C-alpha cells in the first residue's frame, strides 16, 4: 500500500509540474510560436483533473520493469498518457482531430515533451520518497 501511495502522490507532483510547464509555455507564447494553439488558463478545474489523472497514471510505476533505471522508466511510461491524449482525447473528447493536428502540426511533439516532463518529475519524486 505504501508503494501505491508513493506512486500516486509522485504522479500528482509530476502532473503539477507538467501543468505549470504547459501553462507557462502557453503564457510565454512558446506554443503559439511553434504554431500550436495550446494556451490554457491556470484554473482550479483545469488543474484538478490533471492532478487526478497524473496520480492515476503514476500508479503504472508499480509495473515490474526497469526498476534500476527509474528515469528511463518514467520516459517509457510517459508514452502511455501521450498516446491516450493524441489518439483518444484530442480526436474524440476535444474534437481536435487525430493527434490534435487541428491545434497545429507540432502538437504531437509538444504533447510528447510535456508528458516526458511528467514522467521524469514523477520518477524523481519516487526516488526522493524512497
Amino acid at each position: 500500500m505504501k508503494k501505491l501511495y508513493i506512486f500516486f502522490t509522485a504522479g500528482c507532483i509530476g502532473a503539477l509540474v507538467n501543468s505549470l510547464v504547459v501553462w507557462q509555455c502557453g503564457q510565454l507564447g512558446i506554443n503559439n510560436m511553434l504554431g500550436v494553439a495550446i494556451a490554457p488558463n491556470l484554473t482550479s478545474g483545469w488543474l484538478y483533473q490533471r492532478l487526478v489523472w497524473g496520480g492515476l497514471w503514476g500508479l503504472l510505476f508499480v509495473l515490474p520493469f526497469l526498476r534500476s533505471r527509474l528515469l528511463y522508466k518514467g520516459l517509457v511510461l510517459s508514452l502511455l498518457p501521450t498516446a491516450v491524449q493524441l489518439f483518444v482525447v484530442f480526436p474524440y473528447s476535444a474534437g481536435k482531430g487525430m493527434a490534435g493536428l487541428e491545434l497545429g502540426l507540432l502538437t504531437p511533439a509538444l504533447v510528447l515533451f510535456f508528458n516526458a516532463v511528467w514522467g521524469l518529475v514523477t520518477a524523481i519524486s519516487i526516488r526522493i520518497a524512497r
Side-chain angles (χ1 to χ4, degrees), residues 28-42:
L28 294 174
I30 294 170
N31 299 345
N32 191 37
M33 183 179 65
L34 295 171
V36 178
I38 296 177
N41 293 318
L42 188 60

Side-chain angles (χ1 to χ4, degrees), residues 62-83:
V62 78
L63 296 174
F65 72 96
L66 297 173
R67 288 184 184 186
S68 63
R69 302 196 53 174
L70 198 56
L71 293 177
Y72 185 65
K73 184 174 185 175
L75 289 175
V76 170
L77 289 177
S78 74
L79 297 175
L80 295 170
T82 298

Side-chain angles (χ1 to χ4, degrees), residues 10 13-14 17-18 61 69-78 112-128:
I13 293 168
V17 173
N18 163 282
F61 277 83
R69 302 196 53 174
L70 198 56
L71 293 177
Y72 185 65
K73 184 174 185 175
L75 289 175
V76 170
L77 289 177
S78 74
L112 189 65
F113 167 74
F114 292 141
N115 284 328
V117 168
W118 168 83
L120 291 174
V121 172
T122 300
I124 291 167
S125 298
I126 290 168
R127 182 170 286 159
I128 290 170

